[in-house]
Amino acid sequence: MLKKRIIVCLDVKDGRTTKGVKFQNNIDIGDPVEMAKKYYEQGVDELVFYDIMASARGRGPILDLISRVAEQVFIPFCVGGGIGSIEDIRSTILAGAEKISLNSQAVKNPDLIREGARIFGNQCIVLGMDAAKDSEMPSGYRVYINGGRVKTDLDALDWAKKAVSLGAGEIVLNSIDADGVRQGYELNVTRMIAENVSVPVIASGGGGKPEHLADVLTSGKADAALIASMVHSMGYTVDGIKADLNKLGVPVRL
């Protein structure tokens, strides 16, 4: 059986790691380079680094900070935020990232997924998708961009399928409704997308205890769970969470 992955997310604003609730009221919680090193030493499978203000401010990725994080971790490292061109993708990979997360920029220019996958390979291109419940949408979920601040006309399931057809090799599905609330992942939308695409789906938003991860990795059909608050501020460690998941019967890399 394939092992499930545990991924830690660092939301970065002005060079510092921050954490908010439902994409709002972010507070400073530390230095991303030091935090990346700590989680790597605890045995995290992958690390995701999101520059949460880059798209909204119309600028590219902070390459110096990305390279300093990459020097501390020897696991897959995914970077998102403000990556709007093939040149941005190339420079981010050269700075040390293995994967590129395209979110707002992919909505604005879907060809970026196709070109990125063609040049760098599908495994390198990750679709980051921020979705919230909306009864007007066929799937019941609408896609938002610019850090959850701008709503689009895109249905979450339709967009996931289109992105995969364009070449996205993985999807990070961020539930805006569950983000930072710590009451569990949005199982419904995670399962729906996981059952309808041929690439791994990473669940993001809502993890508050190991049982939440177990739920989304089993009944939610996710291939990986993204965590932030649990290890940033709730006293959990990556190795401790993995030990708990192992006891709950979820296959993880110990």
Side-chain angles (χ1 to χ4, degrees), residues 65-131:
L65 186 56
I66 292 164
S67 67
R68 286 193 290 126
V69 171
E71 284 168 4
Q72 300 297 330
V73 300
F74 303 94
I75 49 174
F77 173 40
C78 179
V79 172
I83 298 171
S85 68
I86 292 299
E87 200 39 59
D88 286 341
I89 295 175
R90 183 176 283 110
S91 58
T92 303
I93 292 169
L94 289 172
E98 277 85 13
K99 299 180 185 181
I100 302 301
S101 178
L102 301 174
N103 189 321
S104 305
Q105 301 296 336
V107 170
K108 294 167 188 173
N109 176 18
D111 264 352
L112 191 57
I113 300 174
R114 183 188 286 119
E115 276 298 283
R118 183 181 69 78
I119 295 169
F120 303 103
N122 302 66
Q123 82 292 337
C124 183
I125 304 299
V126 179
L127 177 75
M129 178 165 63
D130 300 330

Side-chain angles (χ1 to χ4, degrees), residues 50-68:
Y50 288 134
D51 186 329
I52 60 171
M53 294 305 294
S55 285
R57 290 176 178 169
R59 63 161 170 74
I62 309 172
L63 300 175
D64 166 60
L65 186 56
I66 292 164
S67 67
R68 286 193 290 126

